[in-house]
Amino acid sequence: MPATKGPSFREVAIDLRSKIRGGEYPPGTKLPTRDELCALYGVSKMTVDSAKILLRSEGLIVDRRRGGTVVADPLPPPPG
C-alpha cells in the first residue's frame, strides 16, 4: 500500500497564516512547538521548519531566544 502524503509546507503555512490572521493565534502568542505542529499536521520536522521559514519571511512570526516562536506584534498588514 502506498504511503499517504501529508500536507506540503505551503499548505501548513496557509493554515497557520489563516489562524494567525483570523485571531486563533493573536499577536504575541506562542505557537505550538515544532513537535506539536508535526503531530497536528502529520508532517515531518522539515515540513514544519519550511512553513515557519515562509511565515517568518512574511513577518508573521518571530523566534524568541528561549521563548519559542511567537506571532509578530504588531502583525504586518496583509499583502495587497
Side-chain angles (χ1 to χ4, degrees), residues 1-77:
M1 179 181 290
T4 55
K5 185 178 177 191
S8 71
F9 80 92
R10 285 183 180 87
E11 292 168 318
V12 172
I14 287 168
D15 189 62
L16 287 171
R17 186 183 302 112
S18 174
K19 289 177 178 180
I20 291 168
R21 291 283 184 202
E24 189 171 333
Y25 296 128
T29 301
K30 186 175 176 181
L31 289 183
T33 66
R34 179 170 65 172
D35 288 340
E36 290 169 337
L37 290 171
C38 288
L40 177 66
Y41 290 104
V43 298
S44 70
K45 290 178 181 181
M46 183 183 292
T47 300
V48 167
D49 290 345
S50 295
K52 288 171 71 176
I53 287 168
L54 181 58
L55 296 174
R56 198 174 299 110
S57 75
E58 296 173 5
L60 292 175
I61 61 173
V62 294
D63 292 320
R64 297 280 164 92
R65 190 173 267 205
R66 297 190 184 125
T69 303
V70 297
V71 177
D73 187 9
L75 280 176

